[in-house]
Amino acid sequence: MLKDENLLIHSSDDPCCSGKNEERKSHHSDEMKKNMISRLNRIEGQIRGVKGMVERDVYCDDVLNQVAAIQAALNSVGKLLLEGHMRSCVIERIQAGDDAVVDELLTTMKKLIK
């Protein structure tokens, strides 16, 4: 097992993201998980704040600005996850001869870019 800055990279015989019949799991470092959970908790709080703004009939433009901030924060989490996925699972699966991961990645990226 190799340690990268933000991710744990497992050997290719580790079942973390291999095998179609096995449950696939990510393998982020504890630091990376903590970072993402912190970001997601902040986003969750922002969403509750926007809900409160709507309930209080806050001016639409102010609500829309908060929605834009939430979208940017979610995009940031998505970029972190995508980078980690590409640097670990995708590389490992390609090295193991599983080229289907490229199609899976392209489908996921299309969803993220919408």
Side-chain angles (χ1 to χ4, degrees):
M1 184 169 14
L2 303 171
K3 183 165 174 144
D4 190 14
E5 292 176 20
N6 294 321
L7 304 170
L8 290 178
I9 312 282
H10 295 266
S11 65
S12 60
D13 58 339
D14 191 335
C16 65
C17 52
S18 61
K20 294 187 186 333
N21 296 329
E22 299 174 24
E23 181 182 355
R24 297 183 303 179
K25 294 185 177 186
S26 64
H27 43 269
H28 304 290
S29 69
D30 289 340
E31 181 181 335
M32 179 70 154
K33 281 187 208 178
K34 185 178 175 182
N35 181 357
M36 285 191 294
I37 289 169
S38 174
R39 288 169 181 253
L40 292 168
N41 285 338
R42 223 176 354 238
I43 292 166
E44 185 178 27
Q46 287 176 295
I47 291 170
R48 282 193 304 273
V50 167
K51 181 181 175 188
M53 292 172 80
V54 170
E55 290 170 345
R56 294 188 315 274
D57 295 320
V58 171
Y59 184 60
C60 297
D61 192 60
D62 295 335
V63 176
L64 289 167
N65 283 316
Q66 288 303 308
V67 169
I70 292 167
Q71 287 173 329
L74 278 172
N75 286 339
S76 180
V77 170
K79 288 176 192 175
L80 279 175
L81 284 167
L82 181 61
E83 180 181 350
H85 181 57
M86 291 176 72
R87 290 184 184 274
S88 59
C89 297
V90 172
I91 289 173
E92 290 174 14
R93 287 178 59 188
I94 289 171
Q95 289 173 342
D98 183 2
D99 293 337
V101 71
V102 174
D103 292 330
E104 177 186 276
L105 178 61
L106 289 171
T107 299
T108 299
M109 289 179 70
K110 286 177 187 175
K111 291 176 185 176
L112 284 171
I113 293 173
K114 275 186 180 179

